[in-house]
Amino acid sequence: MRTLITGASSGLGAGMARELAARGHDLALVARRTDRLEALAVELTARPGAPVVHTAALDVTDDEAVARVVPAMRDELGGLDRVVVNAGIGGGRPVGSGRPGANLRTARTNFVAAIAQCEAAMEIFREQGSGHLVVVTSVAADRGLRGATTVYAATKAGLHTFVEGLRADVVGRGIAVTELAPGFIRTDLNEGMRMPFAVDAATGTRAMVAAMERRPAHAYVPRWPWSVLGPALRVMPMPLVRRLT
């Protein structure tokens, strides 16, 4: 299996790379921080019989770079079986607080840039008549959230709808489309945040890879308790959602 992961220099991306490498996947890892990518590649290829790992610099908000780098990584690996659209940021602010830049960056990175990544991946998959697109959203997609997470949750909800449409569009074409919706997984992105039911990065990314290998349409990860809490959020009265979040 040949897999490309965006945002692979740290957090969930790096964790998924480690887990997939342990399963023998050849990898194309892309992110802005090439020093971290290169260190990760050295780590993953250090053992005998290690998979092939290629790296490349990529700012996912640069649409032209995305359109160029994804097929270049396919050529480096000799083909692509799976693309994991993982790159994303937090760091939003309450809407109207006088700091719109943080929210606009979040929207562009988490939603607009994800569309560009899916465009590049799906063009390859349509040409070859096969492939597996995995898009990382969040349990936050299930409900509008307040404060600094308002825009973040909205981007993930938008991605949920976008992925659902993609899946419907390629039925019968040999292309699988999976949405992974993580609950609270501790990474450098959310350091210091209050997170009930949180798991460490290794546990969380192991669950993400196990889920994507099953190729479901949608999976909460870890499955417990988010497969219960996620749907509950959708029907929960907003005053209760506000208190909980």
Side-chain angles (χ1 to χ4, degrees):
M1 178 71 76
R2 297 158 297 188
T3 299
L4 182 149
I5 305 173
T6 68
S9 60
S10 64
L12 299 181
M16 286 187 285
R18 291 185 177 96
E19 183 65 24
L20 287 167
R23 293 174 180 236
H25 289 229
D26 291 334
L27 299 172
L29 307 178
V30 299
R32 291 177 301 167
R33 295 176 289 188
T34 55
D35 56 336
R36 292 194 178 195
L37 280 181
E38 290 163 5
L40 179 59
V42 169
E43 172 193 333
L44 298 181
T45 57
R47 60 181 174 80
V52 172
V53 178
H54 292 288
T55 65
L58 179 62
D59 179 349
V60 295
T61 63
D62 183 340
D63 299 342
E64 292 182 358
V66 171
R68 182 178 66 254
V69 170
V70 172
M73 289 290 95
R74 172 203 56 195
D75 295 344
E76 289 275 356
L77 281 181
L80 268 182
D81 304 300
R82 176 184 287 148
V83 173
V84 182
V85 178
N86 165 74
I89 61 173
R93 297 291 185 272
V95 175
S97 62
R99 300 183 66 182
N103 289 330
L104 293 173
R105 281 191 299 274
T106 298
R108 289 169 182 147
T109 303
N110 292 2
F111 185 66
V112 177
I115 293 174
Q117 294 163 69
C118 290
E119 286 276 3
M122 292 296 284
E123 184 173 352
I124 291 170
F125 294 160
R126 285 177 186 271
E127 285 176 359
Q128 63 194 28
S130 64
H132 184 199
L133 179 69
V134 178
V135 180
V136 178
T137 63
S138 170
V139 70
D142 288 326
R143 206 62 190 268
L145 302 180
R146 64 189 179 100
T149 55
T150 298
V151 172
Y152 177 84
T155 64
K156 298 302 185 178
L159 272 185
H160 166 76
T161 302
F162 175 72
V163 170
E164 191 172 55
L166 279 183
R167 189 181 306 114
D169 197 39
V170 296
V171 169
R173 294 176 179 264
I175 302 169
V177 180
T178 293
E179 177 187 355
L180 294 183
F184 295 137
I185 300 173
R186 297 187 191 93
T187 68
D188 52 357
L189 183 68
N190 52 40
E191 188 174 357
M193 291 178 59
R194 180 176 64 89
M195 298 188 300
F197 307 110
V199 298
D200 61 84
T203 299
T205 52
R206 188 161 51 247
M208 293 176 75
V209 168
M212 77 170 72
E213 294 281 66
R214 296 193 300 270
R215 299 193 172 205
H218 178 283
Y220 290 105
V221 285
R223 185 173 181 180
W224 176 258
W226 301 107
S227 60
V228 174
L229 293 181
L233 273 174
R234 297 177 196 165
V235 297
M236 197 176 289
M238 182 52 74
L240 181 55
V241 173
R242 191 176 188 280
R243 285 199 298 272
L244 292 175
T245 60

